[in-house]
Amino acid sequence: MNKKILTTPITDEDVKSLRIGDIVYLNGTLVTCRDTGHKRRVLSGIVPRTDLKGGAVFHAGPIVKKVGDKWEMVSIGPTTSMRMEKFEKEFMEITGAKLIIGKGGMGEKTVKGCVENKAIHAVFPGGCAVVAAAEVLEITDAEWLDLGMPEAFWVMEVKEFGPLIISIDTEGNNLFENNKAVYKESMEKEMAELSKKLKYMNY
Amino acid sequence: MNKTEKFLDTTVKFINLVAKVLPDDVVERLKLLREKETVTMSKAIYDSMFENLEKAVSLDRPICQDTGVIQFFVRVGTKFPLIDEIGDLLYKATLEATEKVPLRHNAVETFVEKNTGTNTGKKVPYIDYEIVPNSSNLEMDVYMAGGGCSLPGRSTVMMPSAGYEGIAGFVAETMVNWGINACPPLVVGVGIGTCVASAAKLAKKASLRRVGSRNPEPKAAEMEEALEKALGNIGIGAQGLPGKSGVLCVNIENMARHPSALGAAVSFGCWAHRRGTISFDKNMNYTLLDHKGVTL
Ligand code: SF4
C-alpha cells in the first residue's frame, strides 16, 4: 500500500480531499505548541521566527537533551488536544497552519476553524513516544524556552512522521464525536443484556 | 555490597526495566488483541505500539514519554531484614532512577503548585504496605501511573438496590465518556467495597492483578468475564478509535460491605501498562515474577 505523504508547506489542495479515518504521514517541518504556547500566540501577539503558513503543529511536550550546541529528541508523544480547544481556531486563522496533530478529538470550535481555514486535525498513537522520536531527523530551532521544556516551541524536521489518522476534515466531519454517539448506543445495548446476568442481589 | 545497597541497586534497575519493558502477561494479551483487530485505523495503531515496544528496547528509552508517578505496592514479611528502612530506600531509589532512566519529572507539590523536578514530594513516591506474618521475604509491584490513564478513574457509593448491574453500568459509562482518551486498550480495575476509599483501593489493586487472572469467587469471576466481553463489544479499538480491541482485561477485587452501602470504583491502566512484580529473600536475592528470562 502506498503511503499518503503530506509535505510542508501544505496547501488547500493537499488537504481538501482527505477524510476522517484516512491515514497520512508528514515530511518537512513540524513544530510543537501546547497550552501556554497557544495562549501566547493568540493573546500576546508574540510571533515566533518560524513561519507557520501551510505548517504542521504538534500538541506535544517532548523530552529533549542538549548534546554540544545541538538539541536532540529523546522522546515525544501527543498530549490531549482538547486542552487547546479554546485557542485553536484563532491560532489557525492567525498562523495559517494546516495540520494540527494531537491525541483524542477536538470540539465544535476547532471544527469550524478547520472548515473556514481548510485545515485538518489528526491523531498520532498515544504512548508511541520512541517511534515518534525516531521519525524526527533533527531539531532545527528552539523558541520560547522561557516556557520550560514541555511548553517550548520546538522546530523539527521530520520524515514520514505518522501514522496520522485524520480526525477532523475540511468538510467539518468529526471522527471522535461521531464515534462517541455510536459507542453510547451500543453501550446501552450491551449493558441491558449484561444486566440480566448480574442478578446477584438476594431478595 | 551490603543488604541495603543490594536492595537499592536492584530496585533502581527494576524501575528502569518497568519503564522500558512491559510485563509478559500484558505483551501476550496485546498480541492476541492485535490479531483479533480488523479495523484498519486500530490495526495501524497496534503496528505502531509494537514498533514502539521494540524501539524502546533497542534505543534503551522509556516506552512512553509520560513515565508517571512512581507507585509501590509492598507486601512485606514481618521478618524481612530491611523492614524499618523500606520507605527511605524506595524514596532514594525513585530519586536515583529519575536521573538514570531518565524519568520525566512528574511530581507537582500541591498548593505550592511547583514541580519538584525529582519525582519525589509529599507522599510521593506512593507506597502501599501490606504485612505478611511470619515471612522474611518482600514482594512488591512497581507501577508507573501516567496522567492520561489516572485521569478517568472514579469512585462512588451507590444504594444496594443499584445492584451489580449498577456497578457494571458505572464502569461502562466511565470508560465510554473518559476512558477512551486514556490510550486504549485499557486495563479495567474494578473495586467493590463499602465506601469510596475501600472501593478505590480495591480498584487500583485489581488493575495491578495479572491480565488473564481471575477472582477466586466464582460469581466475581463470572462478572469479570461477562463485563470484559460486554465492554469489548461496544466497538472501541486502540486509542479509542473504532475497533474490537479496546479492552485488555477486566479485573474485580471485592470485600464485604455495609448492608446499606455499595461502594464501587474503577481504575484504568493504559496499553503501556508499566507494572512489574519483584520479590526479595532475606539475603536480597531477587526474582522477577512478570518479566521471565530478564536479569537486572
Ligand atoms: S495514557 Fe499511558 S500510553 Fe497514553 S500518554 Fe499517558 S502514559 Fe502514555
Side-chain angles (χ1 to χ4, degrees), chain B residues 29-220:
Chain B
R29 182 59 59 92
L30 285 173
K31 280 185 188 155
L32 280 178
L33 290 170
R34 182 192 200 181
E35 272 167 34
K36 187 172 120 180
E37 188 52 83
T38 52
V39 181
T40 322
M41 282 180 266
S42 188
K43 272 167 89 99
I45 289 174
Y46 270 95
D47 292 344
S48 294
M49 279 163 19
F50 277 88
E51 189 189 339
N52 196 69
L53 291 178
E54 279 164 29
K55 287 211 160 94
V57 172
S58 64
L59 300 173
D60 192 31
R61 293 185 195 174
I63 297 165
C64 177
Q65 82 283 349
D66 185 356
T67 45
V69 166
I70 312 299
Q71 305 187 321
F72 299 98
F73 296 81
V74 181
R75 295 170 287 279
V76 59
T78 46
K79 302 194 168 59
F80 184 66
L82 302 179
I83 190 164
D84 293 327
E85 299 166 52
I86 306 167
D88 286 344
L89 290 172
L90 294 179
Y91 184 90
K92 270 189 202 147
T94 304
L95 278 177
E96 233 178 83
T98 299
E99 289 286 312
K100 282 190 179 153
V101 177
L103 302 173
R104 201 171 80 174
H105 303 160
N106 280 333
V108 175
E109 208 58 270
T110 45
F111 288 105
V112 183
E113 284 306 315
K114 241 192 141 65
N115 194 321
T116 61
T118 59
N119 274 322
T120 61
K122 188 171 184 183
K123 293 187 192 284
V124 165
Y126 179 81
I127 308 174
D128 175 86
Y129 295 100
E130 273 174 49
I131 297 287
V132 185
N134 302 314
S135 159
S136 57
N137 294 348
L138 175 144
E139 191 181 286
M140 75 179 168
D141 310 317
V142 173
Y143 178 67
M144 299 190 169
C149 50
S150 297
L151 212 48
R154 279 209 298 170
S155 186
T156 186
V157 184
M158 305 180 194
M159 301 209 195
S161 60
Y164 291 81
E165 55 273 40
I167 299 173
F170 171 75
V171 171
E173 210 179 283
T174 310
M175 172 159 157
V176 168
N177 284 329
W178 298 286
I180 55 169
N181 288 329
C183 292
L186 299 172
V187 168
V188 183
V190 180
I192 302 178
T194 194
C195 62
V196 270
S198 57
K201 196 159 181 179
L202 289 174
K204 182 72 182 196
K205 296 215 167 161
S207 77
L208 295 173
R209 227 177 64 205
R210 256 170 226 126
V211 178
S213 63
R214 282 291 169 234
N215 188 306
E217 153 69 40
K219 280 185 188 161

Side-chain angles (χ1 to χ4, degrees), chain A residues 33-36 38 58-61 77-86 88 100-107 110 121-127 151 167 176 180, chain B residues 65-66 104 146-152 177-184 239:
Chain A
C33 193
R34 39 185 265 174
D35 313 52
T36 322
H38 274 72
F58 195 13
H59 297 151
T79 194
T80 307
S81 287
M82 199 49 112
R83 293 205 314 273
M84 273 54 79
E85 173 69 11
K86 199 168 166 193
E88 202 65 75
I100 312 294
I101 304 167
K103 181 174 112 171
M106 292 190 75
T110 303
H121 176 263
V123 293
F124 183 92
E151 292 280 351
S167 86
F176 281 85
K180 248 192 179 165
Chain B
Q65 82 283 349
D66 185 356
R104 201 171 80 174
C149 50
S150 297
L151 212 48
N177 284 329
W178 298 286
I180 55 169
N181 288 329
C183 292
Q239 287 296 316

Side-chain angles (χ1 to χ4, degrees), chain A residues 21 23 34 61 63 72-80 103-105 123-135 162-163 165 175-176 179-180 182-184 186-187 190-191 194-195 197-201, chain B residues 40-41 44-45 48-49 51-52 55-56 59 61-65 104 148 160 163-165 168-169 172-173 176-177 180-181 183 219 222-223 226-227 229-231 233-237 239-242 257 262 271:
Chain A
I23 297 174
R34 39 185 265 174
I63 304 178
E72 226 171 66
M73 187 56 72
V74 178
S75 184
I76 183 165
T79 194
T80 307
K103 181 174 112 171
V123 293
F124 183 92
C128 294
V130 197
V131 168
E135 290 165 354
I165 298 166
L175 182 63
F176 281 85
N179 291 343
K180 248 192 179 165
V182 177
Y183 298 158
K184 284 213 170 118
S186 74
M187 175 183 82
E190 288 296 327
M191 287 303 124
L194 181 64
S195 290
K197 283 191 211 155
L198 302 180
K199 300 290 178 204
Y200 301 143
M201 289 289 181
Chain B
T40 322
M41 282 180 266
I45 289 174
S48 294
M49 279 163 19
E51 189 189 339
N52 196 69
K55 287 211 160 94
L59 300 173
R61 293 185 195 174
I63 297 165
C64 177
Q65 82 283 349
R104 201 171 80 174
Y164 291 81
E165 55 273 40
E173 210 179 283
V176 168
N177 284 329
I180 55 169
N181 288 329
C183 292
K219 280 185 188 161
E222 182 185 75
M223 182 167 169
L227 187 55
K229 212 165 143 220
L231 295 178
N233 283 343
I234 290 178
I236 299 174
Q239 287 296 316
L241 291 162
R257 62 173 178 85
L262 181 61
W271 78 268

